[in-house]
Amino acid sequence: VQITCKLNNPNTIAIYDYGRTPEGVFYYAMEYLDGIDLQVLVEKYGPQPEGRVIRILKAMCGSLYEAHSLGLVHRDIKPANVMLNRRGGEPDVVKVLDFGLVRALDDAKQSRQSGGLTGTPLYMSPEAIQTPDLVDACSDIYAVGAIGYFLITGQPVFTATSLVDLCQQHVTALPDAPSQRLGKPVSPELEAALLGCLEKTRAKRPQTACDLANLLGRAVTA
């Protein structure tokens, strides 16, 4: 909560207060969100239009760019942690939630000591699976690409019958192109941006959330 309080981007959920009750119970007060998360959005309404997907992803990039600039990694970017809300008559106001797994980039010792995966396997980068103590901003960018893939196709990048198989696919399998999975054309720029985020090697992905936002801004939608 202390870390999240440092974040001021309008696409990051706001924390107003926190503390402990006289009984020692921890509490925090955050802004009330009256909307729908991206997981429910796709489950109810299916694949989303390209223009909407691009707007959502660019807003997410704004939130993450501020966090990354402060040396923080979210580590659990997934559809259920991103909400669409209406604010002042404006639809689709994006809010990135649940920075509960956020970590400082130089705080690797604690992660090594925990000895386990941190995040949601459907949206975890290869390095988050193989070397969770070495995750950085590019791991969040991988997850943003996986969310974009989910929004545009209505399906996760990889599916499997076991956690081991799912993790193995993230580490070694090449994703189908979104247009192939969807069965109809997708803007080449958008498709390239999403697949670029899903590169196995961090150096091949967009290196910052700002870089990704610029790539998304070049996408031409129908």
Side-chain angles (χ1 to χ4, degrees):
V1 173
Q2 289 176 324
I3 291 171
T4 305
C5 283
K6 299 177 182 178
L7 305 176
N8 296 308
N9 187 276
N11 296 118
T12 301
I13 191 167
I15 303 294
Y16 298 132
D17 193 16
Y18 63 91
R20 292 191 181 275
T21 67
E23 297 76 23
V25 177
F26 177 75
Y27 72 88
Y28 63 94
M30 63 183 183
E31 69 176 307
Y32 175 70
L33 300 179
D34 184 12
I36 185 173
D37 68 53
L38 300 185
Q39 184 70 40
V40 175
L41 176 72
V42 173
E43 288 175 354
K44 279 192 171 185
Y45 303 107
Q48 297 298 298
E50 289 186 24
R52 190 182 205 189
V53 172
I54 291 168
R55 288 192 298 274
I56 292 170
L57 296 183
K58 288 179 70 176
M60 291 174 61
C61 286
S63 171
L64 291 173
Y65 184 72
E66 180 192 27
H68 295 163
S69 296
L70 292 174
L72 306 174
V73 181
H74 189 290
R75 297 201 299 172
D76 196 25
I77 293 295
K78 60 184 179 181
N81 278 343
V82 182
M83 284 189 68
L84 299 182
N85 306 269
R86 182 175 290 273
R87 286 286 190 275
E90 286 289 327
D92 282 2
V93 176
V94 173
K95 291 287 183 176
V96 178
L97 320 177
D98 196 4
F99 279 77
L101 293 178
V102 74
R103 59 162 287 180
L105 287 175
D106 60 357
D107 187 24
K109 181 178 179 181
Q110 181 179 353
S111 181
R112 285 196 295 270
Q113 290 174 341
S114 67
L117 296 177
T118 304
T120 301
L122 284 172
Y123 301 92
M124 288 177 69
S125 66
E127 64 272 14
I129 294 167
Q130 295 178 302
T131 53
D133 57 314
L134 298 178
V135 298
D136 60 11
C138 287
S139 296
D140 282 347
I141 288 171
Y142 182 96
V144 173
I147 287 179
Y149 193 104
F150 176 66
L151 289 173
I152 206 73
T153 66
Q155 303 171 45
V157 180
F158 300 116
T159 56
T161 56
S162 73
L163 176 59
V164 172
D165 288 344
L166 179 60
C167 290
Q168 187 62 36
Q169 288 188 66
H170 278 294
V171 171
T172 62
L174 294 178
D176 295 332
S179 55
Q180 180 181 350
R181 183 72 67 84
L182 186 60
K184 65 179 185 181
V186 172
S187 162
E189 293 85 0
L190 174 58
E191 187 161 83
L194 296 180
L195 292 176
C197 292
L198 296 171
E199 287 281 356
K200 306 301 183 189
T201 304
R202 279 181 283 192
K204 294 183 178 180
R205 298 176 206 153
Q207 294 299 289
T208 69
C210 187
D211 291 339
L212 175 55
N214 289 335
L215 288 176
L216 292 167
R218 299 172 192 164
V220 178
T221 61

